[in-house]
Amino acid sequence: TNGTWYQYLIPAAEALSDWPAVELSVEQMDTIRHGNRIAADATVGKKARGISEQGELVALLELDEVSNEWQPKKVFFS
């Protein structure tokens, strides 16, 4: 590959487009980035992408069905 490999990268948010998206407020993003849980809407599913109001991928979230909260599994810093 003659240095063009980067053309084949796709944004993470797009790669996980089959996961439902949960738009996070600035406060929720701060909470998630510190590894803490936020209240969830259980109708979304068991896994979701946490995205900023600008559409950037912030975190991969997993539903804790007992507490009905999103647990951050992977957090991305821009």
Side-chain angles (χ1 to χ4, degrees):
T1 64
N2 55 5
T4 60
W5 58 268
Y6 60 89
Q7 295 176 19
Y8 302 100
L9 294 179
I10 55 172
E14 211 177 291
L16 298 165
S17 60
D18 54 330
W19 286 33
V22 174
E23 191 174 293
L24 305 174
S25 68
V26 173
E27 294 80 17
Q28 288 174 316
M29 283 179 12
D30 195 47
T31 301
I32 288 289
R33 284 193 167 133
H34 285 93
N36 299 311
R37 297 173 175 199
I38 58 169
D41 177 355
T43 61
V44 171
K46 293 188 189 321
K47 293 183 189 277
R49 296 173 290 147
I51 59 168
S52 70
E53 291 167 355
Q54 292 76 36
E56 293 173 336
L57 183 63
V58 175
L60 300 182
L61 308 171
E62 192 170 77
L63 182 65
D64 179 325
E65 295 179 71
V66 176
S67 64
N68 198 37
E69 291 175 311
W70 289 119
Q71 170 66 45
K73 286 297 178 184
K74 175 76 179 149
V75 178
F76 303 94
F77 293 88
S78 54

